[in-house]
mmCIF file with all atom_site columns, all heavy atoms in Angstrom:
data_model
loop_
_atom_site.group_PDB
_atom_site.id
_atom_site.type_symbol
_atom_site.label_atom_id
_atom_site.label_alt_id
_atom_site.label_comp_id
_atom_site.label_asym_id
_atom_site.label_entity_id
_atom_site.label_seq_id
_atom_site.pdbx_PDB_ins_code
_atom_site.Cartn_x
_atom_site.Cartn_y
_atom_site.Cartn_z
_atom_site.occupancy
_atom_site.B_iso_or_equiv
_atom_site.pdbx_formal_charge
_atom_site.auth_seq_id
_atom_site.auth_comp_id
_atom_site.auth_asym_id
_atom_site.auth_atom_id
_atom_site.pdbx_PDB_model_num
ATOM 1   N N   . CYS A 1 1  ? -23.476 92.081 -4.642  1.00 0.00 ? 84  CYS A N   1
ATOM 2   C CA  . CYS A 1 1  ? -22.284 92.122 -5.381  1.00 0.00 ? 84  CYS A CA  1
ATOM 3   C C   . CYS A 1 1  ? -22.532 93.000 -6.667  1.00 0.00 ? 84  CYS A C   1
ATOM 4   O O   . CYS A 1 1  ? -23.594 93.506 -6.862  1.00 0.00 ? 84  CYS A O   1
ATOM 5   C CB  . CYS A 1 1  ? -21.999 90.644 -5.923  1.00 0.00 ? 84  CYS A CB  1
ATOM 6   S SG  . CYS A 1 1  ? -23.155 89.898 -7.119  1.00 0.00 ? 84  CYS A SG  1
ATOM 7   N N   . THR A 1 2  ? -21.549 93.160 -7.440  1.00 0.00 ? 85  THR A N   1
ATOM 8   C CA  . THR A 1 2  ? -21.708 93.750 -8.733  1.00 0.00 ? 85  THR A CA  1
ATOM 9   C C   . THR A 1 2  ? -21.893 92.750 -9.802  1.00 0.00 ? 85  THR A C   1
ATOM 10  O O   . THR A 1 2  ? -21.549 91.569 -9.637  1.00 0.00 ? 85  THR A O   1
ATOM 11  C CB  . THR A 1 2  ? -20.515 94.678 -9.060  1.00 0.00 ? 85  THR A CB  1
ATOM 12  O OG1 . THR A 1 2  ? -19.323 93.886 -9.277  1.00 0.00 ? 85  THR A OG1 1
ATOM 13  C CG2 . THR A 1 2  ? -20.314 95.723 -7.963  1.00 0.00 ? 85  THR A CG2 1
ATOM 14  N N   . LEU A 1 3  ? -22.267 93.229 -11.020 1.00 0.00 ? 86  LEU A N   1
ATOM 15  C CA  . LEU A 1 3  ? -22.458 92.224 -12.089 1.00 0.00 ? 86  LEU A CA  1
ATOM 16  C C   . LEU A 1 3  ? -21.074 91.517 -12.405 1.00 0.00 ? 86  LEU A C   1
ATOM 17  O O   . LEU A 1 3  ? -21.082 90.412 -12.792 1.00 0.00 ? 86  LEU A O   1
ATOM 18  C CB  . LEU A 1 3  ? -22.940 93.015 -13.327 1.00 0.00 ? 86  LEU A CB  1
ATOM 19  C CG  . LEU A 1 3  ? -23.424 92.265 -14.523 1.00 0.00 ? 86  LEU A CG  1
ATOM 20  C CD1 . LEU A 1 3  ? -24.598 91.324 -14.151 1.00 0.00 ? 86  LEU A CD1 1
ATOM 21  C CD2 . LEU A 1 3  ? -23.762 93.130 -15.674 1.00 0.00 ? 86  LEU A CD2 1
ATOM 22  N N   . ASP A 1 4  ? -19.937 92.183 -12.163 1.00 0.00 ? 87  ASP A N   1
ATOM 23  C CA  . ASP A 1 4  ? -18.687 91.569 -12.570 1.00 0.00 ? 87  ASP A CA  1
ATOM 24  C C   . ASP A 1 4  ? -18.017 90.664 -11.599 1.00 0.00 ? 87  ASP A C   1
ATOM 25  O O   . ASP A 1 4  ? -17.265 89.785 -11.855 1.00 0.00 ? 87  ASP A O   1
ATOM 26  C CB  . ASP A 1 4  ? -17.587 92.726 -12.888 1.00 0.00 ? 87  ASP A CB  1
ATOM 27  C CG  . ASP A 1 4  ? -17.998 93.539 -14.034 1.00 0.00 ? 87  ASP A CG  1
ATOM 28  O OD1 . ASP A 1 4  ? -18.717 92.999 -14.987 1.00 0.00 ? 87  ASP A OD1 1
ATOM 29  O OD2 . ASP A 1 4  ? -17.760 94.662 -14.129 1.00 0.00 ? 87  ASP A OD2 1
ATOM 30  N N   . ASP A 1 5  ? -18.412 90.787 -10.232 1.00 0.00 ? 88  ASP A N   1
ATOM 31  C CA  . ASP A 1 5  ? -17.949 89.917 -9.223  1.00 0.00 ? 88  ASP A CA  1
ATOM 32  C C   . ASP A 1 5  ? -18.830 88.851 -8.830  1.00 0.00 ? 88  ASP A C   1
ATOM 33  O O   . ASP A 1 5  ? -18.932 88.405 -7.593  1.00 0.00 ? 88  ASP A O   1
ATOM 34  C CB  . ASP A 1 5  ? -17.320 90.671 -8.127  1.00 0.00 ? 88  ASP A CB  1
ATOM 35  C CG  . ASP A 1 5  ? -18.336 91.356 -7.284  1.00 0.00 ? 88  ASP A CG  1
ATOM 36  O OD1 . ASP A 1 5  ? -19.598 91.444 -7.640  1.00 0.00 ? 88  ASP A OD1 1
ATOM 37  O OD2 . ASP A 1 5  ? -17.987 91.965 -6.202  1.00 0.00 ? 88  ASP A OD2 1
ATOM 38  N N   . TRP A 1 6  ? -19.684 88.393 -9.649  1.00 0.00 ? 89  TRP A N   1
ATOM 39  C CA  . TRP A 1 6  ? -20.805 87.390 -9.284  1.00 0.00 ? 89  TRP A CA  1
ATOM 40  C C   . TRP A 1 6  ? -20.174 86.010 -8.902  1.00 0.00 ? 89  TRP A C   1
ATOM 41  O O   . TRP A 1 6  ? -20.810 85.325 -8.074  1.00 0.00 ? 89  TRP A O   1
ATOM 42  C CB  . TRP A 1 6  ? -21.783 87.247 -10.519 1.00 0.00 ? 89  TRP A CB  1
ATOM 43  C CG  . TRP A 1 6  ? -21.190 86.483 -11.646 1.00 0.00 ? 89  TRP A CG  1
ATOM 44  C CD1 . TRP A 1 6  ? -20.422 86.943 -12.631 1.00 0.00 ? 89  TRP A CD1 1
ATOM 45  C CD2 . TRP A 1 6  ? -21.381 85.105 -11.952 1.00 0.00 ? 89  TRP A CD2 1
ATOM 46  N NE1 . TRP A 1 6  ? -20.251 85.967 -13.543 1.00 0.00 ? 89  TRP A NE1 1
ATOM 47  C CE2 . TRP A 1 6  ? -20.687 84.757 -13.113 1.00 0.00 ? 89  TRP A CE2 1
ATOM 48  C CE3 . TRP A 1 6  ? -22.116 84.075 -11.353 1.00 0.00 ? 89  TRP A CE3 1
ATOM 49  C CZ2 . TRP A 1 6  ? -20.791 83.570 -13.732 1.00 0.00 ? 89  TRP A CZ2 1
ATOM 50  C CZ3 . TRP A 1 6  ? -22.063 82.819 -11.879 1.00 0.00 ? 89  TRP A CZ3 1
ATOM 51  C CH2 . TRP A 1 6  ? -21.438 82.538 -13.173 1.00 0.00 ? 89  TRP A CH2 1
ATOM 52  N N   . GLN A 1 7  ? -18.970 85.696 -9.438  1.00 0.00 ? 90  GLN A N   1
ATOM 53  C CA  . GLN A 1 7  ? -18.463 84.419 -9.088  1.00 0.00 ? 90  GLN A CA  1
ATOM 54  C C   . GLN A 1 7  ? -18.042 84.340 -7.596  1.00 0.00 ? 90  GLN A C   1
ATOM 55  O O   . GLN A 1 7  ? -18.173 83.275 -6.963  1.00 0.00 ? 90  GLN A O   1
ATOM 56  C CB  . GLN A 1 7  ? -17.246 84.046 -9.972  1.00 0.00 ? 90  GLN A CB  1
ATOM 57  C CG  . GLN A 1 7  ? -17.680 83.779 -11.415 1.00 0.00 ? 90  GLN A CG  1
ATOM 58  C CD  . GLN A 1 7  ? -16.513 83.579 -12.375 1.00 0.00 ? 90  GLN A CD  1
ATOM 59  O OE1 . GLN A 1 7  ? -15.495 83.177 -11.859 1.00 0.00 ? 90  GLN A OE1 1
ATOM 60  N NE2 . GLN A 1 7  ? -16.696 83.896 -13.652 1.00 0.00 ? 90  GLN A NE2 1
ATOM 61  N N   . GLU A 1 8  ? -17.499 85.370 -7.010  1.00 0.00 ? 91  GLU A N   1
ATOM 62  C CA  . GLU A 1 8  ? -17.079 85.435 -5.656  1.00 0.00 ? 91  GLU A CA  1
ATOM 63  C C   . GLU A 1 8  ? -18.452 85.438 -4.824  1.00 0.00 ? 91  GLU A C   1
ATOM 64  O O   . GLU A 1 8  ? -18.435 84.771 -3.729  1.00 0.00 ? 91  GLU A O   1
ATOM 65  C CB  . GLU A 1 8  ? -16.280 86.796 -5.326  1.00 0.00 ? 91  GLU A CB  1
ATOM 66  C CG  . GLU A 1 8  ? -14.995 86.814 -5.971  1.00 0.00 ? 91  GLU A CG  1
ATOM 67  C CD  . GLU A 1 8  ? -14.346 88.172 -5.866  1.00 0.00 ? 91  GLU A CD  1
ATOM 68  O OE1 . GLU A 1 8  ? -14.663 88.866 -4.928  1.00 0.00 ? 91  GLU A OE1 1
ATOM 69  O OE2 . GLU A 1 8  ? -13.411 88.427 -6.632  1.00 0.00 ? 91  GLU A OE2 1
ATOM 70  N N   . ALA A 1 9  ? -19.398 86.138 -5.296  1.00 0.00 ? 92  ALA A N   1
ATOM 71  C CA  . ALA A 1 9  ? -20.699 86.089 -4.558  1.00 0.00 ? 92  ALA A CA  1
ATOM 72  C C   . ALA A 1 9  ? -21.381 84.784 -4.637  1.00 0.00 ? 92  ALA A C   1
ATOM 73  O O   . ALA A 1 9  ? -22.074 84.292 -3.614  1.00 0.00 ? 92  ALA A O   1
ATOM 74  C CB  . ALA A 1 9  ? -21.660 87.118 -5.145  1.00 0.00 ? 92  ALA A CB  1
ATOM 75  N N   . LEU A 1 10 ? -21.175 83.997 -5.703  1.00 0.00 ? 93  LEU A N   1
ATOM 76  C CA  . LEU A 1 10 ? -21.670 82.642 -5.816  1.00 0.00 ? 93  LEU A CA  1
ATOM 77  C C   . LEU A 1 10 ? -21.064 81.703 -4.779  1.00 0.00 ? 93  LEU A C   1
ATOM 78  O O   . LEU A 1 10 ? -21.698 80.838 -4.097  1.00 0.00 ? 93  LEU A O   1
ATOM 79  C CB  . LEU A 1 10 ? -21.527 82.122 -7.210  1.00 0.00 ? 93  LEU A CB  1
ATOM 80  C CG  . LEU A 1 10 ? -21.904 80.588 -7.505  1.00 0.00 ? 93  LEU A CG  1
ATOM 81  C CD1 . LEU A 1 10 ? -23.350 80.488 -7.123  1.00 0.00 ? 93  LEU A CD1 1
ATOM 82  C CD2 . LEU A 1 10 ? -21.544 80.266 -8.898  1.00 0.00 ? 93  LEU A CD2 1
ATOM 83  N N   . GLU A 1 11 ? -19.752 81.900 -4.636  1.00 0.00 ? 94  GLU A N   1
ATOM 84  C CA  . GLU A 1 11 ? -19.086 81.088 -3.650  1.00 0.00 ? 94  GLU A CA  1
ATOM 85  C C   . GLU A 1 11 ? -19.594 81.422 -2.168  1.00 0.00 ? 94  GLU A C   1
ATOM 86  O O   . GLU A 1 11 ? -19.680 80.482 -1.324  1.00 0.00 ? 94  GLU A O   1
ATOM 87  C CB  . GLU A 1 11 ? -17.513 81.433 -3.615  1.00 0.00 ? 94  GLU A CB  1
ATOM 88  C CG  . GLU A 1 11 ? -16.702 80.473 -2.838  1.00 0.00 ? 94  GLU A CG  1
ATOM 89  C CD  . GLU A 1 11 ? -15.231 80.552 -3.162  1.00 0.00 ? 94  GLU A CD  1
ATOM 90  O OE1 . GLU A 1 11 ? -14.776 81.030 -4.164  1.00 0.00 ? 94  GLU A OE1 1
ATOM 91  O OE2 . GLU A 1 11 ? -14.485 80.232 -2.099  1.00 0.00 ? 94  GLU A OE2 1
ATOM 92  N N   . GLU A 1 12 ? -19.888 82.607 -1.955  1.00 0.00 ? 95  GLU A N   1
ATOM 93  C CA  . GLU A 1 12 ? -20.420 82.992 -0.582  1.00 0.00 ? 95  GLU A CA  1
ATOM 94  C C   . GLU A 1 12 ? -21.827 82.401 -0.416  1.00 0.00 ? 95  GLU A C   1
ATOM 95  O O   . GLU A 1 12 ? -22.134 81.850 0.541   1.00 0.00 ? 95  GLU A O   1
ATOM 96  C CB  . GLU A 1 12 ? -20.486 84.544 -0.423  1.00 0.00 ? 95  GLU A CB  1
ATOM 97  C CG  . GLU A 1 12 ? -20.948 84.974 0.919   1.00 0.00 ? 95  GLU A CG  1
ATOM 98  C CD  . GLU A 1 12 ? -20.964 86.523 1.024   1.00 0.00 ? 95  GLU A CD  1
ATOM 99  O OE1 . GLU A 1 12 ? -20.225 87.200 0.316   1.00 0.00 ? 95  GLU A OE1 1
ATOM 100 O OE2 . GLU A 1 12 ? -21.768 86.934 1.945   1.00 0.00 ? 95  GLU A OE2 1
ATOM 101 N N   . ALA A 1 13 ? -22.526 82.461 -1.523  1.00 0.00 ? 96  ALA A N   1
ATOM 102 C CA  . ALA A 1 13 ? -23.933 81.961 -1.461  1.00 0.00 ? 96  ALA A CA  1
ATOM 103 C C   . ALA A 1 13 ? -23.917 80.324 -1.225  1.00 0.00 ? 96  ALA A C   1
ATOM 104 O O   . ALA A 1 13 ? -24.763 79.836 -0.438  1.00 0.00 ? 96  ALA A O   1
ATOM 105 C CB  . ALA A 1 13 ? -24.714 82.248 -2.745  1.00 0.00 ? 96  ALA A CB  1
ATOM 106 N N   . CYS A 1 14 ? -22.898 79.674 -1.995  1.00 0.00 ? 97  CYS A N   1
ATOM 107 C CA  . CYS A 1 14 ? -22.881 78.261 -1.651  1.00 0.00 ? 97  CYS A CA  1
ATOM 108 C C   . CYS A 1 14 ? -22.482 77.849 -0.207  1.00 0.00 ? 97  CYS A C   1
ATOM 109 O O   . CYS A 1 14 ? -23.048 77.008 0.314   1.00 0.00 ? 97  CYS A O   1
ATOM 110 C CB  . CYS A 1 14 ? -21.850 77.721 -2.618  1.00 0.00 ? 97  CYS A CB  1
ATOM 111 S SG  . CYS A 1 14 ? -22.413 77.690 -4.332  1.00 0.00 ? 97  CYS A SG  1
ATOM 112 N N   . HIS A 1 15 ? -21.689 78.750 0.278   1.00 0.00 ? 98  HIS A N   1
ATOM 113 C CA  . HIS A 1 15 ? -21.261 78.514 1.657   1.00 0.00 ? 98  HIS A CA  1
ATOM 114 C C   . HIS A 1 15 ? -22.422 78.717 2.621   1.00 0.00 ? 98  HIS A C   1
ATOM 115 O O   . HIS A 1 15 ? -22.707 77.931 3.554   1.00 0.00 ? 98  HIS A O   1
ATOM 116 C CB  . HIS A 1 15 ? -20.067 79.512 2.089   1.00 0.00 ? 98  HIS A CB  1
ATOM 117 C CG  . HIS A 1 15 ? -19.787 79.385 3.505   1.00 0.00 ? 98  HIS A CG  1
ATOM 118 N ND1 . HIS A 1 15 ? -18.946 78.296 3.949   1.00 0.00 ? 98  HIS A ND1 1
ATOM 119 C CD2 . HIS A 1 15 ? -19.883 80.187 4.557   1.00 0.00 ? 98  HIS A CD2 1
ATOM 120 C CE1 . HIS A 1 15 ? -18.647 78.347 5.147   1.00 0.00 ? 98  HIS A CE1 1
ATOM 121 N NE2 . HIS A 1 15 ? -19.214 79.501 5.627   1.00 0.00 ? 98  HIS A NE2 1
ATOM 122 N N   . LYS A 1 16 ? -23.268 79.792 2.418   1.00 0.00 ? 99  LYS A N   1
ATOM 123 C CA  . LYS A 1 16 ? -24.431 80.091 3.177   1.00 0.00 ? 99  LYS A CA  1
ATOM 124 C C   . LYS A 1 16 ? -25.521 79.012 3.038   1.00 0.00 ? 99  LYS A C   1
ATOM 125 O O   . LYS A 1 16 ? -26.183 78.653 4.067   1.00 0.00 ? 99  LYS A O   1
ATOM 126 C CB  . LYS A 1 16 ? -25.161 81.421 2.656   1.00 0.00 ? 99  LYS A CB  1
ATOM 127 C CG  . LYS A 1 16 ? -24.371 82.673 3.159   1.00 0.00 ? 99  LYS A CG  1
ATOM 128 C CD  . LYS A 1 16 ? -24.953 83.852 2.511   1.00 0.00 ? 99  LYS A CD  1
ATOM 129 C CE  . LYS A 1 16 ? -26.139 84.422 3.143   1.00 0.00 ? 99  LYS A CE  1
ATOM 130 N NZ  . LYS A 1 16 ? -26.519 85.662 2.589   1.00 0.00 ? 99  LYS A NZ  1
ATOM 131 N N   . LEU A 1 17 ? -25.591 78.391 1.808   1.00 0.00 ? 100 LEU A N   1
ATOM 132 C CA  . LEU A 1 17 ? -26.612 77.326 1.602   1.00 0.00 ? 100 LEU A CA  1
ATOM 133 C C   . LEU A 1 17 ? -25.978 75.914 1.973   1.00 0.00 ? 100 LEU A C   1
ATOM 134 O O   . LEU A 1 17 ? -26.681 74.907 1.850   1.00 0.00 ? 100 LEU A O   1
ATOM 135 C CB  . LEU A 1 17 ? -27.051 77.258 0.143   1.00 0.00 ? 100 LEU A CB  1
ATOM 136 C CG  . LEU A 1 17 ? -27.916 78.512 -0.220  1.00 0.00 ? 100 LEU A CG  1
ATOM 137 C CD1 . LEU A 1 17 ? -28.078 78.608 -1.735  1.00 0.00 ? 100 LEU A CD1 1
ATOM 138 C CD2 . LEU A 1 17 ? -29.211 78.489 0.470   1.00 0.00 ? 100 LEU A CD2 1
ATOM 139 N N   . ASP A 1 18 ? -24.723 75.842 2.273   1.00 0.00 ? 101 ASP A N   1
ATOM 140 C CA  . ASP A 1 18 ? -24.052 74.594 2.666   1.00 0.00 ? 101 ASP A CA  1
ATOM 141 C C   . ASP A 1 18 ? -24.056 73.609 1.490   1.00 0.00 ? 101 ASP A C   1
ATOM 142 O O   . ASP A 1 18 ? -24.515 72.435 1.655   1.00 0.00 ? 101 ASP A O   1
ATOM 143 C CB  . ASP A 1 18 ? -24.569 74.041 3.902   1.00 0.00 ? 101 ASP A CB  1
ATOM 144 C CG  . ASP A 1 18 ? -23.741 72.921 4.482   1.00 0.00 ? 101 ASP A CG  1
ATOM 145 O OD1 . ASP A 1 18 ? -22.474 72.955 4.225   1.00 0.00 ? 101 ASP A OD1 1
ATOM 146 O OD2 . ASP A 1 18 ? -24.182 71.981 5.197   1.00 0.00 ? 101 ASP A OD2 1
ATOM 147 N N   . VAL A 1 19 ? -23.793 74.064 0.293   1.00 0.00 ? 102 VAL A N   1
ATOM 148 C CA  . VAL A 1 19 ? -23.683 73.127 -0.906  1.00 0.00 ? 102 VAL A CA  1
ATOM 149 C C   . VAL A 1 19 ? -22.395 73.419 -1.537  1.00 0.00 ? 102 VAL A C   1
ATOM 150 O O   . VAL A 1 19 ? -21.722 74.473 -1.408  1.00 0.00 ? 102 VAL A O   1
ATOM 151 C CB  . VAL A 1 19 ? -24.791 73.454 -1.941  1.00 0.00 ? 102 VAL A CB  1
ATOM 152 C CG1 . VAL A 1 19 ? -26.154 73.148 -1.306  1.00 0.00 ? 102 VAL A CG1 1
ATOM 153 C CG2 . VAL A 1 19 ? -24.772 74.962 -2.496  1.00 0.00 ? 102 VAL A CG2 1
ATOM 154 N N   . PRO A 1 20 ? -21.805 72.418 -2.263  1.00 0.00 ? 103 PRO A N   1
ATOM 155 C CA  . PRO A 1 20 ? -20.580 72.666 -2.982  1.00 0.00 ? 103 PRO A CA  1
ATOM 156 C C   . PRO A 1 20 ? -20.729 73.710 -4.102  1.00 0.00 ? 103 PRO A C   1
ATOM 157 O O   . PRO A 1 20 ? -21.793 73.823 -4.569  1.00 0.00 ? 103 PRO A O   1
ATOM 158 C CB  . PRO A 1 20 ? -20.254 71.252 -3.563  1.00 0.00 ? 103 PRO A CB  1
ATOM 159 C CG  . PRO A 1 20 ? -21.563 70.585 -3.720  1.00 0.00 ? 103 PRO A CG  1
ATOM 160 C CD  . PRO A 1 20 ? -22.417 71.085 -2.491  1.00 0.00 ? 103 PRO A CD  1
ATOM 161 N N   . ARG A 1 21 ? -19.592 74.374 -4.444  1.00 0.00 ? 104 ARG A N   1
ATOM 162 C CA  . ARG A 1 21 ? -19.644 75.180 -5.521  1.00 0.00 ? 104 ARG A CA  1
ATOM 163 C C   . ARG A 1 21 ? -19.670 74.441 -6.923  1.00 0.00 ? 104 ARG A C   1
ATOM 164 O O   . ARG A 1 21 ? -18.982 73.444 -7.016  1.00 0.00 ? 104 ARG A O   1
ATOM 165 C CB  . ARG A 1 21 ? -18.365 76.157 -5.524  1.00 0.00 ? 104 ARG A CB  1
ATOM 166 C CG  . ARG A 1 21 ? -18.369 77.120 -6.619  1.00 0.00 ? 104 ARG A CG  1
ATOM 167 C CD  . ARG A 1 21 ? -17.203 77.956 -6.512  1.00 0.00 ? 104 ARG A CD  1
ATOM 168 N NE  . ARG A 1 21 ? -17.266 78.951 -7.625  1.00 0.00 ? 104 ARG A NE  1
ATOM 169 C CZ  . ARG A 1 21 ? -16.357 79.989 -7.819  1.00 0.00 ? 104 ARG A CZ  1
ATOM 170 N NH1 . ARG A 1 21 ? -15.365 80.128 -6.894  1.00 0.00 ? 104 ARG A NH1 1
ATOM 171 N NH2 . ARG A 1 21 ? -16.479 80.710 -8.805  1.00 0.00 ? 104 ARG A NH2 1
ATOM 172 N N   . PRO A 1 22 ? -20.460 74.843 -7.842  1.00 0.00 ? 105 PRO A N   1
ATOM 173 C CA  . PRO A 1 22 ? -20.603 74.109 -9.128  1.00 0.00 ? 105 PRO A CA  1
ATOM 174 C C   . PRO A 1 22 ? -19.346 74.434 -10.023 1.00 0.00 ? 105 PRO A C   1
ATOM 175 O O   . PRO A 1 22 ? -18.615 75.426 -9.795  1.00 0.00 ? 105 PRO A O   1
ATOM 176 C CB  . PRO A 1 22 ? -21.861 74.683 -9.769  1.00 0.00 ? 105 PRO A CB  1
ATOM 177 C CG  . PRO A 1 22 ? -21.973 75.966 -9.188  1.00 0.00 ? 105 PRO A CG  1
ATOM 178 C CD  . PRO A 1 22 ? -21.429 75.910 -7.796  1.00 0.00 ? 105 PRO A CD  1
ATOM 179 N N   . LEU A 1 23 ? -19.128 73.598 -11.041 1.00 0.00 ? 106 LEU A N   1
ATOM 180 C CA  . LEU A 1 23 ? -18.111 73.880 -12.043 1.00 0.00 ? 106 LEU A CA  1
ATOM 181 C C   . LEU A 1 23 ? -18.641 74.850 -12.895 1.00 0.00 ? 106 LEU A C   1
ATOM 182 O O   . LEU A 1 23 ? -19.713 74.936 -13.392 1.00 0.00 ? 106 LEU A O   1
ATOM 183 C CB  . LEU A 1 23 ? -17.849 72.592 -12.827 1.00 0.00 ? 106 LEU A CB  1
ATOM 184 C CG  . LEU A 1 23 ? -17.296 71.317 -12.069 1.00 0.00 ? 106 LEU A CG  1
ATOM 185 C CD1 . LEU A 1 23 ? -17.315 70.129 -12.960 1.00 0.00 ? 106 LEU A CD1 1
ATOM 186 C CD2 . LEU A 1 23 ? -15.995 71.625 -11.564 1.00 0.00 ? 106 LEU A CD2 1
ATOM 187 N N   . LEU A 1 24 ? -17.788 75.811 -13.199 1.00 0.00 ? 107 LEU A N   1
ATOM 188 C CA  . LEU A 1 24 ? -18.131 76.945 -14.081 1.00 0.00 ? 107 LEU A CA  1
ATOM 189 C C   . LEU A 1 24 ? -17.604 76.694 -15.511 1.00 0.00 ? 107 LEU A C   1
ATOM 190 O O   . LEU A 1 24 ? -16.468 76.585 -15.736 1.00 0.00 ? 107 LEU A O   1
ATOM 191 C CB  . LEU A 1 24 ? -17.514 78.196 -13.590 1.00 0.00 ? 107 LEU A CB  1
ATOM 192 C CG  . LEU A 1 24 ? -18.018 79.466 -14.071 1.00 0.00 ? 107 LEU A CG  1
ATOM 193 C CD1 . LEU A 1 24 ? -19.517 79.662 -13.737 1.00 0.00 ? 107 LEU A CD1 1
ATOM 194 C CD2 . LEU A 1 24 ? -17.398 80.708 -13.467 1.00 0.00 ? 107 LEU A CD2 1
ATOM 195 N N   . LEU A 1 25 ? -18.540 76.405 -16.401 1.00 0.00 ? 108 LEU A N   1
ATOM 196 C CA  . LEU A 1 25 ? -18.261 76.151 -17.811 1.00 0.00 ? 108 LEU A CA  1
ATOM 197 C C   . LEU A 1 25 ? -18.331 77.389 -18.717 1.00 0.00 ? 108 LEU A C   1
ATOM 198 O O   . LEU A 1 25 ? -19.039 78.270 -18.286 1.00 0.00 ? 108 LEU A O   1
ATOM 199 C CB  . LEU A 1 25 ? -19.188 75.013 -18.340 1.00 0.00 ? 108 LEU A CB  1
ATOM 200 C CG  . LEU A 1 25 ? -19.162 73.729 -17.464 1.00 0.00 ? 108 LEU A CG  1
ATOM 201 C CD1 . LEU A 1 25 ? -20.153 72.702 -17.971 1.00 0.00 ? 108 LEU A CD1 1
ATOM 202 C CD2 . LEU A 1 25 ? -17.728 73.103 -17.425 1.00 0.00 ? 108 LEU A CD2 1
ATOM 203 N N   . PRO A 1 26 ? -17.778 77.366 -19.946 1.00 0.00 ? 109 PRO A N   1
ATOM 204 C CA  . PRO A 1 26 ? -17.951 78.416 -20.842 1.00 0.00 ? 109 PRO A CA  1
ATOM 205 C C   . PRO A 1 26 ? -19.441 78.741 -21.049 1.00 0.00 ? 109 PRO A C   1
ATOM 206 O O   . PRO A 1 26 ? -19.707 79.989 -21.248 1.00 0.00 ? 109 PRO A O   1
ATOM 207 C CB  . PRO A 1 26 ? -17.161 78.042 -22.083 1.00 0.00 ? 109 PRO A CB  1
ATOM 208 C CG  . PRO A 1 26 ? -16.219 77.061 -21.522 1.00 0.00 ? 109 PRO A CG  1
ATOM 209 C CD  . PRO A 1 26 ? -16.890 76.316 -20.404 1.00 0.00 ? 109 PRO A CD  1
ATOM 210 N N   . ARG A 1 27 ? -20.289 77.806 -21.112 1.00 0.00 ? 110 ARG A N   1
ATOM 211 C CA  . ARG A 1 27 ? -21.626 78.025 -21.263 1.00 0.00 ? 110 ARG A CA  1
ATOM 212 C C   . ARG A 1 27 ? -22.269 78.884 -20.260 1.00 0.00 ? 110 ARG A C   1
ATOM 213 O O   . ARG A 1 27 ? -23.061 79.786 -20.570 1.00 0.00 ? 110 ARG A O   1
ATOM 214 C CB  . ARG A 1 27 ? -22.372 76.632 -21.265 1.00 0.00 ? 110 ARG A CB  1
ATOM 215 C CG  . ARG A 1 27 ? -23.837 76.722 -21.242 1.00 0.00 ? 110 ARG A CG  1
ATOM 216 C CD  . ARG A 1 27 ? -24.481 75.463 -20.728 1.00 0.00 ? 110 ARG A CD  1
ATOM 217 N NE  . ARG A 1 27 ? -25.804 75.720 -20.261 1.00 0.00 ? 110 ARG A NE  1
ATOM 218 C CZ  . ARG A 1 27 ? -26.516 74.901 -19.738 1.00 0.00 ? 110 ARG A CZ  1
ATOM 219 N NH1 . ARG A 1 27 ? -26.191 73.659 -19.505 1.00 0.00 ? 110 ARG A NH1 1
ATOM 220 N NH2 . ARG A 1 27 ? -27.696 75.193 -19.297 1.00 0.00 ? 110 ARG A NH2 1
#
């Protein structure tokens, strides 16, 4: 991915690891 589209890549990684996607907080 690129630095800007990391959230989409995180969703794909969660799918690959078979874990739920975490809540994304301002922190």
Side-chain angles (χ1 to χ4, degrees):
C84 69
T85 64
L86 191 58
D87 296 329
D88 69 351
W89 72 279
Q90 293 177 25
E91 294 172 22
L93 176 60
E94 188 167 335
E95 183 180 335
C97 288
H98 181 73
K99 286 170 78 173
L100 293 168
D101 195 27
V102 297
R104 183 177 176 175
L106 297 173
L107 196 60
L108 303 175
R110 167 195 162 189

